[in-house]
């Protein structure tokens, strides 16, 4: 029986553990922002934590008869755009160096990054154009 080299078995565990630590960090940061800046910051953090998965609703009517775990191909560009960590990180950078100083916006970005990080930690990544999980 052929087995993968030790390095190939360890890397996914390290990667997923790193994503989990990242998720816990952004979750804690979102809670801190909510505590420091009020209910609106907390509400936006929760909304943006859930919002990326609303992309599943694109093409939900066409989902009948699709393989389990497959996303409707029409929804893939929206799903992938909402699940790229660089998008909220870039917006955070603009927030840090730009003229906007509204704390609830930063809390929302923390919630968004927490969502992406939890997805990666639990094995849910970006999708292929056919709607399947990428390896």
């Amino acid at each position: 029986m052929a087995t993968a080299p030790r390095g190939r078995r360890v890397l996914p565990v390290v990667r997923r553990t790193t994503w989990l630590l990242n998720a816990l960090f952004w979750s804690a940061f979102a809670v801190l922002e909510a505590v420091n800046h009020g209910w609106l910051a907390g509400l936006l953090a929760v909304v943006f934590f859930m919002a990326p998965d609303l992309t599943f609703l694109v093409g939900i009517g066409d989902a009948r008869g699709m393989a389990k775990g497959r996303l409707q191909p029409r929804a893939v560009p929206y799903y992938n755009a909402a699940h790229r960590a660089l998008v909220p990180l870039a917006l955070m950078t603009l927030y840090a160096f730009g003229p906007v100083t509204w704390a609830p916006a930063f809390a929302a970005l923390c919630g968004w990054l927490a969502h992406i990080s939890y997805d990666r930690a639990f094995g849910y990544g970006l999708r292929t154009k056919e709607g399947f999980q990428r390896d």
Side-chain angles (χ1 to χ4, degrees):
M1 173 167 75
T3 60
R6 188 175 194 285
R8 283 214 168 167
R9 289 179 285 165
V10 173
L11 187 61
V13 173
V14 170
R15 185 178 295 134
R16 287 174 86 171
T17 302
T18 303
W19 276 112
L20 181 60
L21 293 173
N22 197 30
L24 294 172
F25 172 80
W26 290 115
S27 296
F29 212 146
V31 169
L32 179 67
E33 289 294 304
V35 168
N36 287 339
H37 300 288
W39 68 269
L40 184 59
L43 177 66
L44 285 178
V46 169
V47 167
F48 273 70
F49 181 81
M50 295 184 304
D53 282 343
L54 294 178
T55 57
F56 286 126
L57 299 177
V58 176
I60 196 166
D62 303 330
R64 200 169 270 175
M66 295 187 66
K68 184 176 179 170
R70 183 177 178 201
L71 182 62
Q72 169 43 267
R74 192 164 42 126
V76 169
Y78 303 104
Y79 177 89
N80 283 347
H83 285 83
R84 289 195 187 277
L86 286 179
V87 176
L89 283 172
L91 292 172
M92 279 183 167
T93 302
L94 289 174
Y95 178 88
F97 295 106
V100 177
T101 58
W102 192 49
F106 187 76
L109 294 172
C110 290
W112 189 2
L113 268 172
H115 174 98
I116 293 168
S117 300
Y118 280 116
D119 274 1
R120 296 298 194 290
F122 296 123
Y124 301 107
L126 299 176
R127 303 292 184 122
T128 65
K129 65 181 181 179
E130 294 82 20
F132 293 105
Q133 287 288 330
R134 290 185 185 171
D135 290 331

